[in-house]
Amino acid sequence: MTKSSRAEPKSEAAFPRRGHDHHRCVADALSQAERLCAQRGARLTEIRKQVLELVWESHAPIGAYQILEKLAESGKRPAPIAVYRALDFLMEQGLVHRLASRNAFLGCGHPDTNHQAQFLICDSCGSVAELADTRIVDAIADRAGRSGFAVAGHVVEIQGTCPDCRKAAHAG
Amino acid sequence: MTKSSRAEPKSEAAFPRRGHDHHRCVADALSQAERLCAQRGARLTEIRKQVLELVWESHAPIGAYQILEKLAESGKRPAPIAVYRALDFLMEQGLVHRLASRNAFLGCGHPDTNHQAQFLICDSCGSVAELADTRIVDAIADRAGRSGFAVAGHVVEIQGTCPDCRKAAHAG
DNA sequence: GGTCATTTTGTTACACTATAACATGACGTG
DNA sequence: CACGTCATGTTATAGTGTAACAAAATGACC
C-alpha cells in the first residue's frame, strides 16, 4: 500500500469539490490509463478507451446501458456485450470500479496501486467518494480471521448524505 | 442492541455447523416471524410465509426466481412481482436480507433486533455468515464522520472461503 | 511479406433481475 | 353493509448481464 506523499488534510477530502475542472480529471485519468496499460502490456483499445472516458465524464456512477446510449450518440451502437467486455477489462486493470448496490460503474481514483476500495455514496446527489480506509479493512480482516474465514475481496458501500447535500438541506 | 445471553465461544460461530438440524432452524425462524409480526400488527400472509420458508429452507442465499420455481413446484406459479412484494415485506420487517453482490436473499438470524448486518460469503460452497460487528460499524461511522458524510445504511459483503471449505481444500 | 496463434471485436440470441400500471379481492372498522 | 385500506392478481415491460460462435485485428516468428 504505497501512500500518497502529501499529508491528509484535517477534513479528509473524500468527495471531489463541486465546480472543479472535471475535464482535467478525465484527461488525467485517460493519460494515466494509457501509461499503466503500456507498462503492463495491456491493450487499451479504442472502445475500451471510449468506455473509460464515458465513465469518467459522468460525475455519478454510470450504468452499462447508459454508456451504451452515449456511444450510440457518437455514431456507433455496439451490442451490450461489447460494453461489458470493455468494463471487464477496465476492472481487471483496476481502472474502473463497480458498485454492486447500484449496478453502476465509476472511474478509479488511484489505479496505480492495488487496492480494495470502499465507497461513500450520496443518496441525494449520487456523488461517490472512494476510500482506502485501513481501519475498515483491518476490522474486516480481524473479524473474518476470528471466524476462520479467508478473505478474498469485499464490497463496502456506504449510503447516506454527502457534506454538500447536508449543507444544502440545512440551508433549504 | 440486546445481546444474546450465551457467551461467545472462542472461535466465534459465524457459520452454521454442517449437518445441523436445519428443519429446526426453519421452524424456529417461522414461529419467531409469526410472533414478531403479530406484535407489530404486520400481516404475515400465506405467500409471505411461504416465501420466508423457502428462503430459510435454502442453505445458501436464494434468488427471487429460484423462489418462484419452488413455489411453482408446489402447485401455484405467481407472477414474479408477487415474490418481490413478499420479499419487500420481509425485508421491511427485518426477516430477510438481500445480498447486493449476489442478487440473492437469505433469512435474517436475529430479526428481533434492529441492525445493520455484514456478511461473510463463501465463494466455494455459497454459505453465508451474518455478522453484527461493532468494530466494522465503528470504523465506517468514524471514517464517514471525518468526511462529513451522514451514514444512512451500508452494504458490507466479504467474499472468501469459509472454514469448512478451507479444511476441505487442505485435505484434498 | 506470409503464416500462425492469440486476442479482440462483431453478431445473434437469450437468461436473469426487477418494476409499472391497473384491476380485483380480502379485511377490519364504523 | 359501506367504506377505506391493504394485499394480491394480471399483463406488460424495463433493466442488467451472458452464451456461443463467427470474423477481424494484432503481434511474433519465419
Side-chain angles (χ1 to χ4, degrees):
Chain A
M1 277 290 136
T2 60
K3 250 205 136 179
S4 165
S5 55
R6 59 190 154 68
E8 294 280 13
K10 261 175 287 187
S11 172
E12 306 188 22
F15 287 91
R17 254 175 303 191
R18 285 191 182 174
H20 71 282
D21 182 357
H22 194 61
H23 281 78
R24 170 56 80 88
C25 294
V26 179
D28 286 353
L30 282 175
S31 61
Q32 190 176 17
E34 301 254 27
R35 190 162 42 73
L36 286 171
C37 286
Q39 276 174 19
R40 298 170 183 167
R43 284 158 62 186
L44 188 60
T45 60
E46 194 52 33
I47 190 170
R48 290 168 176 175
K49 203 185 315 187
Q50 287 177 334
V51 169
L52 181 60
E53 186 171 9
L54 290 171
V55 166
W56 267 100
E57 274 177 0
S58 168
H59 266 177
I62 185 172
Y65 279 73
Q66 289 177 274
I67 294 170
L68 193 56
E69 279 311 307
K70 294 197 179 241
L71 286 172
E73 284 170 19
S74 47
K76 41 207 132 194
R77 177 180 291 274
I81 194 163
V83 174
Y84 283 103
R85 282 171 180 159
L87 288 168
D88 284 345
F89 169 86
L90 295 168
M91 285 192 288
E92 273 169 22
Q93 296 299 321
L95 298 166
V96 159
H97 290 292
R98 179 173 185 274
L99 296 184
S101 64
R102 301 273 173 128
N103 297 326
F105 302 83
L106 79 162
C108 173
H110 33 109
D112 46 337
T113 65
N114 217 18
H115 59 280
Q116 276 281 325
Q118 304 86 44
F119 303 94
L120 302 175
I121 307 173
C122 181
D123 292 327
S124 174
C125 68
S127 70
V128 174
E130 179 180 347
L131 310 175
D133 189 274
T134 315
R135 267 189 67 200
I136 296 174
V137 174
D138 286 351
I140 287 173
D142 185 64
R143 186 59 177 80
R146 276 184 285 139
S147 298
F149 184 87
V151 176
H154 69 230
V155 172
V156 177
E157 299 174 13
I158 305 160
Q159 289 99 34
T161 312
C162 75
D164 284 340
C165 288
R166 289 176 73 182
K167 282 173 210 149
H170 291 154
Chain B
M1 277 288 141
T2 58
K3 253 206 135 181
S4 164
S5 55
R6 61 189 151 72
E8 294 280 13
K10 260 176 289 187
S11 171
E12 305 186 24
F15 287 90
R17 253 174 304 188
R18 284 192 182 174
H20 70 283
D21 184 357
H22 194 60
H23 280 81
R24 170 57 79 87
C25 294
V26 178
D28 287 353
L30 282 175
S31 61
Q32 190 176 15
E34 301 255 26
R35 190 163 40 75
L36 286 171
C37 286
Q39 278 175 17
R40 297 170 183 166
R43 286 159 59 188
L44 188 60
T45 60
E46 193 53 33
I47 189 169
R48 290 168 176 175
K49 204 187 313 185
Q50 286 177 334
V51 168
L52 180 61
E53 185 171 8
L54 289 171
V55 166
W56 268 100
E57 275 178 357
S58 168
H59 265 176
I62 185 173
Y65 280 72
Q66 289 177 272
I67 294 170
L68 192 55
E69 280 311 306
K70 292 192 181 248
L71 286 171
E73 283 170 20
S74 47
K76 39 208 135 191
R77 176 179 291 274
I81 195 162
V83 174
Y84 282 103
R85 281 170 180 157
L87 288 167
D88 284 345
F89 169 86
L90 295 169
M91 285 191 289
E92 274 168 22
Q93 296 298 323
L95 298 167
V96 159
H97 290 292
R98 178 174 185 272
L99 296 184
S101 64
R102 301 275 175 125
N103 299 325
F105 302 84
L106 79 163
C108 173
H110 34 109
D112 47 337
T113 66
N114 217 15
H115 60 279
Q116 276 281 325
Q118 304 86 44
F119 302 94
L120 302 176
I121 307 172
C122 181
D123 292 326
S124 174
C125 68
S127 69
V128 174
E130 179 181 347
L131 310 175
D133 189 273
T134 316
R135 267 188 68 200
I136 296 174
V137 174
D138 286 352
I140 287 173
D142 184 65
R143 186 57 177 81
R146 277 183 285 139
S147 298
F149 184 88
V151 176
H154 69 231
V155 172
V156 177
E157 299 175 13
I158 304 160
Q159 291 99 33
T161 312
C162 75
D164 283 341
C165 287
R166 287 175 75 183
K167 281 173 212 148
H170 291 155

